[in-house]
Amino acid sequence: MGMVDEFKTFINQGSVMDLAVGVIIGGSFAKITASLVDDVLMPVVGLAMGGHDLASLFIDLSGKGVKTVEEAKKLGAPTLNYGNFLATVLNFLLIAFVIFLVVKAVNRARGISKLT
């Protein structure tokens, strides 16, 4: 069996096709959950923080007294962008929770009571 025949056999296996479908669906699902977090949940978090965007919190390491991350970037001033890191961690946790809820609902629909 030549390499081309082996490749055809590999591609035609169900697991490869299942993986391809999973990647495509996963990409679309990632966009949906990112929109839920960015457009629905993060504004609520910002409102709870007194109207501040979590990603805008930083420490100016240059001592130049810059007021925003954008200003620091224009000046080439070093900053410690801890707010952006916290926003990324929160974004991950929220997306993970949404995925957990979806998996839990699918398992319930299949009759599986616990994640294993």
Side-chain angles (χ1 to χ4, degrees):
M1 183 188 266
M3 185 182 285
V4 173
D5 291 331
E6 285 183 59
F7 182 69
K8 285 180 185 177
T9 302
F10 172 74
I11 288 297
N12 288 323
Q13 290 178 350
S15 59
V16 173
M17 296 307 289
D18 292 344
L19 178 62
V21 170
V23 167
I24 292 167
I25 296 292
S28 296
F29 186 73
K31 290 179 183 179
I32 291 169
T33 54
S35 177
L36 173 67
V37 170
D38 294 339
D39 301 329
V40 177
L41 298 176
M42 288 306 279
V44 174
V45 170
L47 183 64
M49 292 184 55
H52 295 290
D53 178 15
L54 188 61
S56 67
L57 301 175
F58 72 103
I59 296 173
D60 176 18
L61 299 176
S62 70
K64 295 180 181 178
V66 293
K67 302 293 183 206
T68 66
V69 174
E70 292 77 22
E71 182 184 348
K73 285 181 181 180
K74 285 180 186 176
L75 294 173
T79 58
L80 181 64
N81 302 326
Y82 68 92
N84 193 32
F85 174 74
L86 292 175
T88 301
V89 170
L90 183 59
N91 193 0
F92 167 77
L93 292 174
L94 291 172
I95 288 174
F97 183 68
V98 168
I99 291 171
F100 166 75
L101 292 177
V102 168
V103 169
K104 187 174 173 106
V106 168
N107 284 343
R108 183 173 292 139
R110 288 182 173 174
I112 302 169
S113 62
K114 292 184 180 180
L115 292 174
T116 57

